[in-house]
Amino acid sequence: MRSSDTPTTRTGVFRKSSYSQSEAACVEVADLDNGTAIRDTKHRDLGTLFFGPDEWQAFIDSTKEV
């Protein structure tokens, strides 16, 4: 995300995969008006990473099975 972009929360709610169940060792994702935010569930105090829509889509595409 460019430094001039200010992240704004669409849902205001971080979520984690249902596959994680009660595990705390995962990442959480939040939808933003201008991208996506992720953070480490176990280390929320270390901050949040923000990705623009194109960056997030490239990540999603790279994780899909071929």
Side-chain angles (χ1 to χ4, degrees), residues 7-44:
T8 55
T9 304
R10 179 183 301 155
T11 63
V13 177
F14 277 89
R15 65 189 184 285
K16 62 182 182 176
S17 171
S18 59
Y19 291 104
S20 298
Q21 298 173 351
S22 63
E23 297 294 320
C26 62
V27 295
E28 299 173 313
V29 178
D31 296 320
L32 306 175
D33 291 331
N34 57 348
T36 303
I38 64 170
R39 67 183 181 188
D40 184 331
T41 303
K42 291 177 85 173
H43 301 285
R44 292 178 181 143

